[in-house]
Amino acid sequence: MSIEVKNITKRFGSFVALDNVSLEIPTGELVALLGPSGCGKTTLLRIIAGMESLDEGQVLFHGEEATHVEARERNVGFVFQHYALFRHMSVFENVAFGLRVKPRAQRPSEAAIRDKVMSLLKLVQLDWLAERYPSQLSGGQRQRIALARALAVEPKVLLLDEPFGALDTQVRKELRRWLRRLHDEMHIASVFVTHDQEEALEVADRVVVMNKGHIEQMGTPDEVYTAPATPFVYKFLGNVNVFHSRLKGPWAKVEQPEGDGKGEGGSTAFVRPHEIDILREQREHALAATVQHVQAIGPLVRVELTHESEIIEVELTRDRHLELQLNAGDQVWLLPKQVTVFASAKAEPQRWAPDWVI
Amino acid sequence: MKSNRPHRVLPGFNLSLGYALVYLSLLVLIPLGGLIAKSAELSLAEFWTLATSQRSMASYRITFGTSLLAASINAVFGLIVAWVLVRYEFPGRRFFDALVDLPFALPTAVAGITLTTLYANTGWLGQYIEGQWGFKIAFTPWGIVVALTFVTMPFVVRTVQPVIEDIEAEVEEAAATLGATRWQTFWRVLLPGVFPALLTGFALAFSRAIGEFGSVIFIAGNIPLVSEITPLLIIAKLEQYDLIGATVLAVVMLVISFVLLLSINLLQWWAANRHRSEARELDPGSTGNPANTQGAAA
């Protein structure tokens, strides 16, 4: 079932949590709502689930108006960050809950409930824990039980609120992959909220980047990472070096592509660490910098440099590093391979690769 | 010599255990033991006759019946009061919260006199209740129930309150998204969580009600066989220098109370441990933060 939200506005007192947000999620798609805390992503998810009222706008499920349908009638599966399992019920009873509270006419028989619950527990690979209580499980196990519980009622939409936020890195990575697989098997629309960009980029079909109550950019993980639409998305997704045009020096010109004509007002240039090359000898347009620190761990070598007390991060391949043999204190020159310039915070980005790069 | 006792972080296990036992003995066990020893002066048959006289039997019925009723009323309405005080923000919430403790602080005689004045057939409330519906409260067992309900009210509210505070709002939301109605959410999700604490509150209220004297004697009217409670009967016997008769009644009360409290405790232990029967095996640290700290706009 597809989800559509239209022009949603939500205020908490004078604080605008969501400002005219519209979003469409087709069936079968796994969408990540990504943003810093307080950006409204959880509020949006709760509005879709019917747990939060909205001030303006509409929620449509499969094209049908659902704005004022109660949470319990929306048939959504919701997974909470802190699991929200029923403490006094065994794992089995937790998963069976959604089936047991159905109206008598629709309620499956005891045997059918048992089969359904056990098959779900098998699906989350925890059928051996059926008789345990939530307090006896680890965080990762609890979250899987919470997911099994949400799936028991065969929801048409699965909503997950920072589902892996309270888990440690190792478990988180495993559950991510597992969620992806599960989603592909279920053919439903899934939305999950996260503030972890790596998680969003790795799991989702589409990433919705939010900030201060509005959507900054929507797109595939590749789109949002390689072609950020706004300065915010640039900064939020991955490391980036920011050059303000007021920073005088060789790159000040670089930041003002020809024909821009806006002067040196508020324009900003963004360059990812792997998009900068380090040179041993001076060249036209190159920026002088001093090597501060070289970190050679893994396939990439991270180099931290300073230019007039501004820190610049560069990532080199191992081969390039071997060629250069950088040491802390070395004087070097930097050239960008690709630059993205925003003439102002609201302006369209202009991407260009300087032609003076080797 | 190193003993094989488990290592404890805080020292002084022997000392504190010894202290606790001596303390309990001095305050509880020795006086009660003396009571039973005193009653042993009687033969079993004499004891039985005194304990089961018509007047005594009536007084047990009234004492335990009204106490049970008062504790039950408080279990229901105390739960509602606690719920409202925890879950809803309203002007004067702190004021009402403080009001709950008042029956603890008020001398019970004052409470008894006040209630009598209110519910007597000339009182503010009594004149309407009796005039309109012909229902007498003061000087009947109903008056005793009113007094006991008043006096024992804080027990349920105060034991249940922290437990309700501990219930995450998310649990209710989870139940709602799974299709549960409000009633199902209350009955299947919230009540089982609160139940052990509710039982504790009930037991406290009940035991307090059994022993209550001051507030009851004013409103009860103390008519033998109708509205005379056992504690009053004991005082009456003492005033007639019938020490042994008073002791017998006290022992009977003690035994009934003990049996009742023990069964409530067992029930409570069962309710609280049902879902913790096995040892915690995995990761007890990850019980999760209280989820309600999570802002709605996060």
Side-chain angles (χ1 to χ4, degrees), chain A residues 281-303:
Chain A
E281 65 286 343
Q282 190 169 9
R283 186 139 359 149
E284 195 190 355
H285 304 301
L287 193 69
T290 315
V291 178
Q292 294 296 325
H293 185 68
V294 180
Q295 192 188 11
I297 301 166
L300 288 176
V301 178
R302 284 164 192 276
V303 186

Side-chain angles (χ1 to χ4, degrees), chain A residues 230-257:
Chain A
T230 65
F232 172 81
V233 179
Y234 231 121
K235 281 184 225 167
F236 198 72
L237 293 175
N239 287 336
V240 71
N241 294 299
V242 185
F243 300 94
H244 295 285
S245 57
R246 55 188 156 70
L247 181 80
K248 293 290 182 186
W251 276 21
K253 288 189 198 93
V254 174
E255 289 150 30
Q256 298 298 307

Side-chain angles (χ1 to χ4, degrees), chain B residues 124-200:
Chain B
W124 284 357
L125 291 173
Q127 59 178 324
Y128 298 110
I129 296 171
E130 204 172 328
Q132 298 283 346
W133 300 300
F135 189 75
K136 278 171 88 101
I137 288 182
F139 315 123
T140 68
W142 294 113
I144 305 179
V145 173
V146 169
L148 292 180
T149 308
F150 172 82
V151 171
T152 61
M153 200 255 297
F155 287 102
V156 172
V157 178
R158 288 297 182 234
T159 45
V160 166
Q161 223 172 356
V163 179
I164 295 177
E165 271 165 16
D166 215 33
I167 298 177
E168 313 150 46
E170 283 189 351
V171 168
E172 288 162 56
E173 292 172 346
T177 59
L178 290 167
T181 59
R182 277 149 213 234
W183 174 248
Q184 284 170 323
T185 306
F186 172 75
W187 191 250
R188 286 168 171 264
V189 176
L190 301 176
L191 194 62
V194 179
F195 189 67
L198 190 62
L199 216 53
T200 308

Side-chain angles (χ1 to χ4, degrees), chain A residues 39-314:
Chain A
C39 73
K41 55 192 193 301
T42 295
T43 308
L44 180 57
L45 196 74
R46 290 172 58 87
I47 285 175
I48 296 174
M51 296 190 297
E52 200 81 66
S53 63
L54 42 79
D55 295 326
E56 281 158 43
Q58 270 185 306
V59 179
L60 303 171
F61 280 2
H62 212 74
E64 277 172 40
E65 172 73 46
T67 315
H68 300 291
V69 177
E70 270 194 71
R72 66 185 203 89
E73 281 155 10
R74 290 199 185 192
N75 201 5
V76 297
F78 201 99
V79 175
F80 296 84
Q81 180 177 6
H82 296 293
Y83 331 120
L85 291 175
F86 307 131
R87 279 185 272 185
H88 60 280
M89 291 183 203
S90 67
V91 163
F92 182 92
E93 287 303 322
N94 262 284
V95 179
F97 183 84
L99 302 172
R100 291 204 196 284
V101 297
K102 278 180 190 284
R104 205 172 286 278
Q106 298 164 31
R107 199 181 305 158
S109 69
E110 195 55 36
I113 291 180
R114 174 153 284 276
D115 287 350
K116 174 94 194 173
V117 171
M118 288 320 283
S119 75
L120 279 165
L121 288 177
K122 278 203 188 73
L123 183 71
V124 299
Q125 296 157 4
L126 291 175
D127 45 328
W128 51 288
L129 290 176
E131 298 311 314
R132 298 282 187 87
Y133 284 88
S135 61
Q136 298 165 319
L137 307 183
S138 71
Q141 289 170 335
R142 283 181 212 188
Q143 199 55 294
R144 282 193 275 167
I145 297 300
L147 195 50
R149 180 180 68 176
L151 294 175
V153 290
E154 290 172 11
K156 303 216 177 74
V157 172
L158 186 60
L159 306 172
L160 307 100
D161 183 12
E162 306 240 3
F164 316 127
L167 306 171
D168 56 58
T169 325
Q170 207 65 34
V171 181
R172 197 146 73 192
K173 285 205 162 157
E174 189 197 317
L175 282 190
R176 255 188 234 165
R177 247 170 269 140
W178 180 80
L179 171 68
R180 181 69 242 189
R181 265 210 323 277
L182 204 69
H183 168 84
D184 291 338
E185 285 169 25
M186 309 286 299
H187 298 291
I188 52 177
S190 304
V191 185
F192 79 102
V193 157
T194 181
H195 61 258
D196 180 345
Q197 38 116 348
E198 197 188 318
E199 191 168 291
L201 296 178
E202 193 183 307
V203 180
D205 294 316
R206 215 147 51 98
V207 177
V208 177
V209 185
M210 294 184 66
N211 182 33
K212 291 181 182 159
H214 61 262
I215 293 175
E216 292 269 336
Q217 189 177 5
M218 275 185 257
T220 64
D222 188 50
E223 278 167 13
V224 291
Y225 186 78
T226 54
T230 65
F232 172 81
V233 179
Y234 231 121
K235 281 184 225 167
F236 198 72
L237 293 175
N239 287 336
V240 71
N241 294 299
V242 185
F243 300 94
H244 295 285
S245 57
R246 55 188 156 70
L247 181 80
K248 293 290 182 186
W251 276 21
K253 288 189 198 93
V254 174
E255 289 150 30
Q256 298 298 307
E258 283 177 59
D260 183 20
K262 289 206 172 164
E264 293 178 23
S267 82
T268 345
F270 289 81
V271 188
R272 297 255 189 231
H274 65 267
E275 294 170 341
I276 297 181
D277 198 10
I278 298 180
L279 306 171
R280 272 290 183 187
E281 65 286 343
Q282 190 169 9
R283 186 139 359 149
E284 195 190 355
H285 304 301
L287 193 69
T290 315
V291 178
Q292 294 296 325
H293 185 68
V294 180
Q295 192 188 11
I297 301 166
L300 288 176
V301 178
R302 284 164 192 276
V303 186
E304 204 179 286
L305 309 104
T306 48
H307 166 77
E308 290 172 2
S309 82
E310 294 231 358
I311 294 170
I312 299 167
E313 248 185 79
V314 176

Side-chain angles (χ1 to χ4, degrees), chain B residues 1-289:
Chain B
M1 190 192 76
K2 282 260 174 202
S3 71
N4 52 7
R5 269 190 284 121
H7 176 75
R8 282 165 214 278
V9 177
L10 287 177
F13 169 70
N14 289 331
L15 187 67
S16 52
L17 178 73
Y19 172 75
L21 291 182
V22 169
Y23 186 80
L24 274 177
S25 303
L26 282 175
L27 282 172
V28 182
L29 275 180
I30 294 176
L32 295 184
L35 193 68
I36 291 169
K38 178 81 186 163
S39 71
E41 290 170 13
L42 288 171
S43 75
L44 215 57
E46 286 171 313
F47 183 94
W48 190 251
T49 324
L50 278 174
T52 57
S53 74
Q54 199 196 3
R55 198 170 164 190
S56 315
M57 290 303 274
S59 80
Y60 305 146
R61 260 199 304 278
I62 289 158
T63 304
F64 289 99
T66 52
S67 299
L68 203 65
L69 195 58
S72 308
I73 291 172
N74 274 330
V76 175
F77 292 98
L79 180 65
I80 297 174
V81 170
W83 184 265
V84 169
L85 287 177
V86 172
R87 278 300 166 92
Y88 302 119
E89 286 288 339
F90 55 92
R93 191 174 68 128
R94 301 235 164 257
F95 174 75
F96 284 103
D97 197 55
L99 219 56
V100 169
D101 287 325
L102 220 54
F104 273 154
L106 203 65
T108 49
V110 176
I113 293 166
T114 312
L115 290 173
T116 313
T117 323
L118 271 180
Y119 286 101
N121 56 10
T122 51
W124 284 357
L125 291 173
Q127 59 178 324
Y128 298 110
I129 296 171
E130 204 172 328
Q132 298 283 346
W133 300 300
F135 189 75
K136 278 171 88 101
I137 288 182
F139 315 123
T140 68
W142 294 113
I144 305 179
V145 173
V146 169
L148 292 180
T149 308
F150 172 82
V151 171
T152 61
M153 200 255 297
F155 287 102
V156 172
V157 178
R158 288 297 182 234
T159 45
V160 166
Q161 223 172 356
V163 179
I164 295 177
E165 271 165 16
D166 215 33
I167 298 177
E168 313 150 46
E170 283 189 351
V171 168
E172 288 162 56
E173 292 172 346
T177 59
L178 290 167
T181 59
R182 277 149 213 234
W183 174 248
Q184 284 170 323
T185 306
F186 172 75
W187 191 250
R188 286 168 171 264
V189 176
L190 301 176
L191 194 62
V194 179
F195 189 67
L198 190 62
L199 216 53
T200 308
F202 175 84
L204 286 171
F206 179 59
S207 35
R208 176 76 167 80
I210 291 170
E212 177 56 19
F213 177 74
S215 63
V216 175
I217 51 165
F218 291 100
I219 201 169
N222 309 322
I223 308 153
L225 305 179
V226 177
S227 62
E228 186 179 53
I229 56 169
T230 318
L232 185 77
L233 195 56
I234 294 174
I235 301 276
K237 295 222 183 237
L238 284 176
E239 280 172 348
Q240 294 156 17
Y241 301 103
D242 180 7
L243 192 59
I244 198 77
T247 314
V248 167
L249 289 178
V251 169
V252 171
M253 273 195 94
L254 199 65
V255 170
I256 301 178
S257 304
F258 186 73
V259 170
L260 285 171
L261 287 177
L262 190 68
S263 36
I264 293 173
N265 273 341
L266 285 175
L267 186 63
Q268 196 186 317
W269 177 83
W270 169 80
N273 283 284
R274 207 156 37 126
H275 55 281
R276 262 180 249 123
S277 47
E278 292 167 63
R280 295 182 166 208
E281 281 167 39
L282 290 154
D283 192 8
S286 71
T287 42
N289 309 320

